[in-house]
Amino acid sequence: MLNAMTTMYLCPADGTRAPVATAAWCCPACRGPWDLDFEAMPVSLKSLSGRVNSLWRYEEALPLAAPALSLGEGRTPLVALTPSVSAKLDFLMPTLSFKDRGAVMLAELARRLGPERVVADSSGNAGTAVAAYCTRAGLPCTVFVPEATSPKKTEQIRAHGARLERVPGDREATALAARAAADRPGTFYASHVYNPYFLHGTKTYVHELWEDLGGRLPEAIAVPVGNGTLLLGAALAIAELYGHGLIAERPALIAVQAEAVSPLAAAFHAGADELPVGPGSAAPTLAEGIAIPDPPRARQILRAVRESGGTFLTVTEDQLRAAQLDLAARGLFVESTGVACWAAVGGWTDRSVVVPLCGAGAKTGLAPAE
């Protein structure tokens, strides 16, 4: 299995390559996010019996092996909600969100590289996950969050021993502050957006669906999209499974955004390949985890949805409130960002679709009524 000392980063925009062990956190030529020059090996469905009951069971598909930091992340339940719609309960993770899938990869990579410090930025869940895995690795960690981040999330970050930096302004201001800190020598930027190891962690979401459904996938996979880390991970896994002949058809990717902050949906429906140049604007939304006005991987996200035959949907604040209460009435208390896909496709009857329930309701509480 490849390791951090030999694997190469690859810039999807201009083809720049750099060794993982010595590379800057972004492409030095265009300042864009990295992809990973890594070829996954096929995973045999029959070989999975008896393997470790975590995402690391798909070791052939992962760029890191033999982890020291695992908390048993992954292998979350798949539960039918209607005859057509099933939910994957990714809020049943060690830190109560799907971000553990990617955070364990980043922390494991950082552990092997041995930086002086780790820096992350987040609206809450990714920062919590990075903080948890860094404390397990014995790595000092600073997490930058927007000043309006849920107190329950910031309390969890502090509980894991990370230094918390509240940044005035929105999610984009927070990212800029973290990137400035990441340029300091000796710093590992545990970015769930810029570092592709995170995407190779989130792709295990689809490997689990494939295993749970007996070697197939649903007709559609709905994913909440802000920075697009779960969607791009899903697209990566689908391409690998299809390329290895392990699925006969590719599911459509249904990307869901909050209507209040939906730059990708607007670009998609306008037929654009990327977002307009210049900073986007973010309005307040209950779906704080996907309130991203200018995602760095916008071009990749738009292309992945189009190539899958999927589409973008948006949901209103009222729909988010109603979906959270509806899921709670079904026994599932999910945070307001994590209900976005249920709000968008919960009434579908024409094809099979899986939605992720990405974060626990305990992280934010019930969405307030207007």
Side-chain angles (χ1 to χ4, degrees):
M1 189 66 63
L2 294 175
N3 63 50
M5 305 307 148
T6 59
T7 307
M8 300 288 286
Y9 285 137
L10 172 67
C11 176
D14 60 29
T16 298
R17 293 165 61 88
V20 169
T22 58
W25 59 266
C26 66
C27 172
C30 70
R31 300 288 287 182
W34 292 114
D35 279 350
L36 198 62
D37 186 7
F38 168 74
E39 185 175 350
M41 301 298 291
V43 179
S44 165
L45 198 62
K46 293 181 179 179
S47 73
L48 295 175
S49 177
R51 289 195 183 186
V52 61
N53 195 36
S54 73
L55 63 82
W56 297 96
R57 66 198 280 108
Y58 312 109
E59 60 181 356
E60 296 93 334
L62 297 174
L64 295 174
L69 304 181
S70 178
L71 291 167
E73 55 286 330
R75 297 296 291 142
T76 55
L78 182 65
V79 177
L81 297 180
T82 74
S84 299
V85 183
S86 295
K88 189 149 176 61
L89 310 190
D90 256 28
F91 65 89
L92 299 179
M93 289 274 199
T95 75
L96 308 182
S97 91
F98 88 95
K99 295 289 177 63
D100 289 359
R101 294 185 183 276
V104 68
M105 299 290 288
L106 293 182
E108 181 64 31
L109 176 62
R111 184 188 69 81
R112 299 182 190 196
L113 296 177
E116 295 176 23
R117 69 193 68 84
V118 174
V119 166
D121 61 291
S122 169
S123 60
N125 284 338
T128 296
V130 170
Y133 285 98
C134 280
T135 197
R136 192 163 176 84
L139 293 169
C141 176
T142 299
V143 180
F144 291 77
V145 300
E147 58 185 349
T149 298
S150 163
K152 295 180 181 180
K153 292 181 180 179
T154 57
E155 181 181 14
Q156 191 178 5
I157 291 169
R158 286 196 179 101
H160 289 307
R163 176 184 173 190
L164 186 73
E165 290 282 352
R166 287 186 177 273
V167 179
D170 60 12
R171 182 66 180 82
E172 185 62 21
T174 303
L176 291 174
R179 291 169 201 165
D183 285 330
R184 291 177 56 197
T187 302
F188 178 85
Y189 184 23
S191 172
H192 58 294
V193 181
Y194 278 78
N195 194 301
Y197 277 83
F198 194 94
L199 306 182
H200 282 269
T202 62
K203 76 180 182 183
T204 59
Y205 174 88
V206 168
H207 283 92
E208 290 175 20
L209 289 180
W210 169 76
E211 181 182 0
D212 290 342
L213 295 174
R216 62 181 181 85
L217 290 175
E219 294 169 281
I221 296 175
V223 183
V225 174
N227 276 310
T229 55
L230 183 53
L231 184 137
L232 291 173
L236 193 60
I238 290 167
E240 291 172 357
L241 290 169
Y242 185 80
H244 292 144
L246 296 172
I247 53 173
E249 296 181 354
R250 304 186 194 211
L253 291 171
I254 311 300
V256 180
Q257 294 203 288
E259 186 178 273
V261 187
S262 52
L264 291 164
F268 180 88
H269 291 298
D273 293 329
E274 56 190 348
L275 298 183
V277 176
S281 59
T285 176
L286 296 170
E288 64 178 10
I290 54 173
I292 309 297
D294 190 20
R297 293 187 184 268
R299 175 180 283 271
Q300 289 177 282
I301 295 166
L302 291 165
R303 183 174 66 245
V305 174
R306 286 201 175 96
E307 289 180 352
S308 77
T311 191
F312 271 83
L313 302 175
T314 61
V315 292
T316 67
E317 301 303 291
D318 285 344
Q319 287 175 306
L320 289 168
R321 290 187 188 92
Q324 189 183 36
L325 291 172
D326 181 69
L327 282 172
R330 297 168 185 265
L332 300 168
F333 187 32
V334 183
E335 69 171 324
S336 47
T337 297
V339 305
C341 290
W342 177 244
V345 306
W348 281 19
T349 59
D350 60 331
R351 53 179 163 167
S352 61
V353 58
V354 171
V355 301
L357 303 184
C358 296
K363 284 177 170 277
T364 56
L366 278 175
E370 284 190 315

